[in-house]
Amino acid sequence: MRILVVQNSRTAPPGLLGEYLVEFGAELVTVTPPEGDALSAEAEGFDGAVVLGGPQSAADDRTSPYIPRLLALMRSFAEAEKPILGICLGAQLLARAHGERVYQHSLMERGFRPVETTSAGAEDPVLGSFGPVRHIMQWHYDTFDLPKDAVLLATGPDCANQAFRLGDSQYGLQFHPEVNADIVKDWVRRAEGATPEEIAALGQEMDAQVERYLPDAAAFARDLARGWLELVRRKKSMLR
């Protein structure tokens, strides 16, 4: 299975999710558009796509002029009924690609926060392994409106739209299932506007959360990779 990975920042790599996708049989083709890598014009040649996070705004085409082309590519995958998995910025871009707005949230959601599945999420073939509630990594200022006909799969106390599905193949996750300890440490070091003292305190807090919550979150990342690739396999066999 040939999977396009759109990496919107070198600081937001596919991490654990990428490792598990390869383990379960995926060939990853990674592009980083902000660094000049070309984006395909359409979904042809790929069986699915993962669109990762990044520090940019999904609504800011001026600062990130490649975004309109990426939105068109995501719509191309949807029209071809090829699975997409959008993570954080990727979920926001998926919502925008289907006509909804992305905007700054009332707070920054950061750290391993509780996320609860809806009844639809509990029965979802890809997200069903999440369980009723998990603490999973968040690191975002923005949120989005759900696209028309989207199914809300997970929600949270600080940000309502945590996971959604469009049709049976397009998934958006506001949280970060891909992180490992090194990624979290790097994000702490880059905390925007923080003093050295604040970064040190944040680092201690995140170290404690990583120790407590990452093993369970990593187990979900593995289940997510397996479940999403099963969807890719099914779709590929149907499209032959």
Side-chain angles (χ1 to χ4, degrees):
M1 291 165 290
R2 197 163 186 259
I3 305 299
L4 174 66
V5 177
V6 180
Q7 187 169 325
N8 288 291
S9 171
R10 289 293 178 189
T11 66
L16 290 176
L17 184 64
E19 293 176 18
Y20 294 140
L21 288 172
V22 171
E23 177 183 332
F24 293 126
E27 174 195 353
L28 304 185
V29 179
T30 302
V31 296
T32 309
E35 296 187 2
D37 290 351
L39 278 171
S40 300
E42 55 187 27
E44 186 176 354
F46 297 100
D47 302 308
V50 176
V51 183
L52 296 167
Q56 57 269 66
S57 167
D60 187 356
D61 297 349
R62 182 184 61 82
T63 304
S64 301
Y66 71 91
I67 283 180
R69 186 177 178 89
L70 176 53
L71 296 175
L73 177 61
M74 294 174 82
R75 287 190 291 268
S76 173
F77 272 85
E79 290 162 4
E81 296 188 23
K82 293 183 176 183
I84 280 183
L85 181 60
I87 294 172
C88 195
L89 175 64
Q92 297 163 8
L93 288 166
L94 183 60
R96 188 182 166 199
H98 293 276
E100 296 304 329
R101 68 185 184 117
V102 179
Y103 52 94
Q104 188 167 324
H105 194 32
S106 58
L107 52 80
M108 181 183 184
E109 195 174 24
R110 181 165 63 189
F112 285 81
R113 303 292 299 150
V115 172
E116 180 178 358
T117 52
T118 64
S119 56
E123 298 175 358
D124 184 80
V126 172
L127 215 67
S129 64
F130 191 88
V133 179
R134 282 185 196 248
H135 283 72
I136 199 150
M137 189 64 180
Q138 308 274 4
W139 202 284
H140 66 102
Y141 289 100
D142 291 349
T143 187
F144 54 89
D145 291 336
L146 281 180
K148 181 182 178 182
D149 299 328
V151 178
L152 184 65
L153 302 176
T155 189
D158 298 325
C159 185
N161 295 334
Q162 288 291 339
F164 69 93
R165 185 187 70 236
L166 269 173
D168 64 355
S169 63
Q170 313 294 294
Y171 283 80
L173 310 180
Q174 180 58 74
F175 50 83
H176 286 278
E178 80 284 9
V179 296
N180 56 32
D182 288 338
I183 291 173
V184 176
K185 284 181 182 296
D186 186 49
W187 290 356
V188 168
R189 285 195 297 267
R190 298 172 185 272
E192 186 177 350
T195 66
E197 294 77 14
E198 290 169 336
I199 289 176
L202 179 61
Q204 290 179 347
E205 179 187 356
M206 290 299 105
D207 285 348
Q209 290 192 15
V210 163
E211 183 177 0
R212 181 175 182 182
Y213 297 119
L214 183 58
D216 184 59
F220 166 67
R222 195 171 193 273
D223 290 341
L224 173 66
R226 183 193 295 111
W228 187 74
L229 275 185
E230 284 299 323
L231 172 64
V232 174
R233 285 191 183 95
R234 290 197 303 272
K235 285 293 183 179
K236 183 176 181 178
S237 65
M238 291 169 62
L239 294 172
R240 283 176 177 168

